[in-house]
């Protein structure tokens, strides 16, 4: 019997691999597989948080499969956690966006949804948040679920007494069905997901990643521009510490003929790991110090604030970086008429208030889209497609 017919839960994936996905070995020769090709891997994505015996003897070759079937109603979601942008491929993104559009209809409806009735979501936020925390809580309630929340968990939880993150997660999972966590340390979300037996969503881990922000950003670009292939995007501001731009770069790399411009003060330039990833995946990128010139060529200007909280006591470095790149009326004058300005918010002075009335200012529409994406993710992680 071929592997194709033996394992109906197998999915074709490149970056779409949970850290806890079942491993592959080299016991079988490639002729046991249907139409193998070398550029991707076959991974089993059954929910690793259920009790599963290890599967032996699977060689990493890809199969040509109808992956769209995996996204039909009633199927389990392919991911057990949402931790980083690298987990998603473009086909899954398209399917998630379809669900998000259904969530838009639910949000506009006057009737109360009961899709997540009986489910409890715990939000653990060790760093400040307005949009992310409130949109997750709103998403859960709009789908009929309930919320357990702690704001500023770094100070007002047992973490202040020295409790480890692992112990906190083991405790909270006993009270809830899903955990949404923001943490000040990069990698904390992976640690939480490795500990928990329920789904964990990374709502931002220090300067690491913010995958749900990237999902809503790409959803917004598609909604505003009408396409994701063949676009030019300027990432502006604090690129060294900004987790949103890191996750967004990972997702933009899934699409064809994308060009990314990095515009930032020297001290907060995009880190080499992102640039290396883009190069490896054939994405054209360029660093520039001239925002005016770049903005005139781009479909999207994605502005970010310089993050004072990441500079520690070196406020001299913060002051040197802030205020260098501003989106104002003068910049609007050189932008294309169908381009958009985006920002993950909050903003300080990096976008002037008089820009808000321009139809190209998409950042508040972008924030609203976060509700639909997070409704979709909660639905998918808890009840599936």
């Amino acid at each position: 019997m071929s592997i194709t017919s033996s394992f109906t839960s197998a999915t074709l994936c490149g970056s779409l691999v949970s850290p806890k996905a079942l491993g592959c070995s080299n016991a079988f020769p490639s002729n046991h597989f249907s139409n193998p090709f070398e550029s991707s891997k076959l991974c089993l994505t059954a929910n690793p948080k259920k009790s599963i015996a290890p599967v032996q003897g699977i060689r990493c070759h890809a199969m040509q499969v109808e992956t769209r079937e995996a996204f039909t109603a009633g199927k389990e979601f392919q991911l057990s956690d949402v931790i980083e942008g690298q987990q998603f491929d473009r086909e899954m993104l398209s399917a998630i966006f379809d669900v998000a559009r259904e969530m838009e209809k639910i949000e506009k409806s006057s009737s109360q949804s009961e899709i997540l009735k009986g489910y409890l979501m715990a939000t653990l936020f060790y760093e400040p948040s307005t949009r992310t925390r409130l949109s997750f809580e709103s998403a859960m309630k709009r789908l009929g679920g309930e919320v357990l929340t702690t704001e500023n968990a770094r100070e007002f939880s047992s973490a202040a007494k020295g409790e480890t993150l692992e112990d906190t997660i083991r405790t909270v999972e006993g009270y809830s069905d899903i955990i949404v966590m923001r943490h000040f340390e990069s990698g904390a979300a992976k640690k939480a997901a490795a500990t928990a037996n329920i789904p964990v969503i990374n709502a931002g881990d220090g300067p690491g990643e913010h995958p749900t922000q990237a999902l809503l950003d790409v959803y917004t670009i598609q909604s505003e521009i009408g396409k994701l292939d063949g676009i030019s995007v300027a990432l502006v501001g604090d690129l060294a510490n900004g987790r949103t731009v890191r996750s967004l770069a990972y997702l933009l790399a899934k699409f064809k003929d994308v060009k990314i411009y990095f515009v930032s003060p020297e001290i907060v330039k995009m880190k080499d790991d992102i640039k290396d990833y883009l190069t490896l995946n054939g994405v054209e990128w360029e660093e520039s110090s001239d925002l005016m010139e770049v903005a005139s060529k781009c479909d999207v200007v994605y502005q970010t604030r310089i993050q004072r909280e990441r500079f520690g006591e070196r406020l001299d470095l913060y002051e040197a970086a802030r205020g260098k790149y501003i989106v104002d009326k003068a910049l609007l004058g050189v932008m294309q008429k169908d381009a958009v300005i985006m920002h993950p918010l909050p903003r300080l002075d990096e976008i002037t208030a008089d820009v808000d009335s321009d139809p190209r200012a998409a950042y508040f529409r972008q924030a609203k889209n976060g509700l639909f994406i997070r409704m979709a993710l909660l639905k998918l992680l808890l009840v599936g497609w």
Side-chain angles (χ1 to χ4, degrees):
M1 184 181 291
S2 73
I3 297 299
T4 308
S5 57
S6 297
F7 296 102
T8 57
S9 63
T11 58
L12 180 65
C13 55
S15 60
L16 176 57
V17 182
S18 164
K20 290 173 266 189
L22 297 181
C24 301
S25 75
N26 57 8
F28 282 110
S30 61
N31 60 12
H32 281 254
F33 292 81
S34 301
N35 301 316
F37 54 95
E38 297 299 324
S39 62
S40 298
K41 293 181 180 180
L42 173 70
C43 298
L44 298 183
T45 57
N47 190 336
K49 295 195 172 180
K50 296 179 181 178
S51 179
I52 300 172
V55 176
Q56 301 296 326
I58 305 300
R59 183 168 178 167
C60 293
H61 281 274
M63 298 184 302
Q64 292 178 336
V65 292
E66 284 294 325
T67 55
R68 198 68 194 177
E69 290 182 6
F71 305 135
T72 55
K75 298 282 189 179
E76 280 191 6
F77 190 41
Q78 286 72 15
L79 304 179
S80 55
D81 309 289
V82 173
I83 304 300
E84 57 189 10
Q86 301 93 304
Q87 290 177 275
F88 303 92
D89 65 11
R90 61 182 293 157
E91 188 168 24
M92 179 180 278
L93 290 173
S94 177
I96 291 171
F97 294 167
D98 287 343
V99 177
R101 281 185 278 273
E102 290 301 312
M103 297 300 106
E104 289 194 45
K105 296 176 185 177
I106 289 175
E107 189 265 344
K108 292 183 173 86
S109 171
S110 58
S111 59
Q112 173 67 44
S113 172
E114 295 189 349
I115 292 174
L116 296 184
K117 184 177 182 179
Y119 287 95
L120 277 168
M121 176 186 74
T123 57
L124 279 174
F125 279 67
Y126 293 83
E127 284 191 323
S129 172
T130 301
R131 279 151 295 277
T132 303
R133 184 172 65 86
L134 291 181
S135 63
F136 264 115
E137 293 179 4
S138 176
M140 191 67 177
K141 287 181 175 292
R142 287 179 182 277
L143 292 175
E146 297 294 335
V147 176
L148 304 172
T149 185
T150 176
E151 186 179 10
N152 197 2
R154 189 175 188 175
E155 183 177 351
F156 298 116
S157 76
S158 291
K161 303 174 184 177
E163 182 174 60
T164 66
L165 176 62
E166 289 88 346
D167 282 0
T168 299
I169 294 298
R170 290 187 185 102
T171 301
V172 172
E173 72 175 357
Y175 309 145
S176 59
D177 302 293
I178 188 168
I179 296 171
V180 178
M181 187 182 79
R182 169 168 292 183
H183 204 275
F184 50 88
E185 289 183 356
S186 180
K190 284 186 179 180
K191 187 186 297 185
T195 302
N197 292 303
I198 61 174
V200 173
I201 299 178
N202 180 8
D205 59 341
E209 286 208 47
H210 195 348
T212 68
Q213 178 71 45
L215 288 169
L216 76 89
D217 290 342
V218 175
Y219 185 69
T220 299
I221 293 170
Q222 185 182 64
S223 300
E224 298 283 336
I225 303 296
K227 62 178 182 176
L228 291 165
D229 292 320
I231 62 172
S232 296
V233 180
L235 301 181
V236 187
D238 192 342
L239 307 185
N241 300 305
R243 56 195 171 209
T244 63
V245 289
R246 291 176 58 81
S247 292
L248 180 55
Y250 281 127
L251 291 194
L252 290 174
K254 312 297 180 188
F255 299 93
K256 298 176 182 176
D257 302 321
V258 169
K259 180 163 185 179
I260 300 177
Y261 294 90
F262 299 126
V263 184
S264 68
E266 185 70 23
I267 197 169
V268 287
K269 291 174 63 175
M270 179 59 79
K271 294 178 181 176
D272 287 342
D273 64 327
I274 296 294
K275 293 184 279 191
D276 291 344
Y277 180 88
L278 295 175
T279 299
L280 184 64
N281 285 274
V283 179
E284 186 180 357
W285 59 270
E286 179 183 325
E287 291 184 311
S288 175
S289 59
D290 190 339
L291 179 57
M292 280 285 194
E293 180 187 3
V294 168
S296 70
K297 299 185 284 191
C298 284
D299 302 290
V300 179
V301 174
Y302 191 98
Q303 175 72 295
T304 65
R305 70 184 174 91
I306 305 298
Q307 299 186 35
R308 178 174 179 167
E309 64 269 27
R310 308 295 180 204
F311 285 83
E313 296 180 358
R314 294 302 308 272
L315 295 184
D316 56 323
L317 299 179
Y318 166 73
E319 291 297 336
R322 69 184 293 266
K324 187 172 178 60
Y325 296 107
I326 304 293
V327 174
D328 55 15
K329 285 286 191 179
L331 193 80
L332 287 175
V334 303
M335 288 179 61
Q336 301 173 32
K337 67 175 184 177
D338 296 324
V340 293
I341 303 161
M342 296 173 61
H343 193 303
L345 303 175
R347 66 168 166 185
L348 299 180
D349 55 2
E350 65 275 1
I351 299 179
T352 58
D354 57 2
V355 171
D356 296 353
S357 60
D358 192 287
R360 291 169 290 183
Y363 29 90
F364 294 115
R365 298 191 295 272
Q366 175 187 356
K368 182 62 180 282
N369 286 337
L371 173 64
F372 310 131
I373 286 293
R374 288 161 180 146
M375 288 172 73
L377 289 175
L378 291 172
K379 187 259 185 187
L380 291 169
L381 284 164
L382 290 170
V383 301
W385 294 101

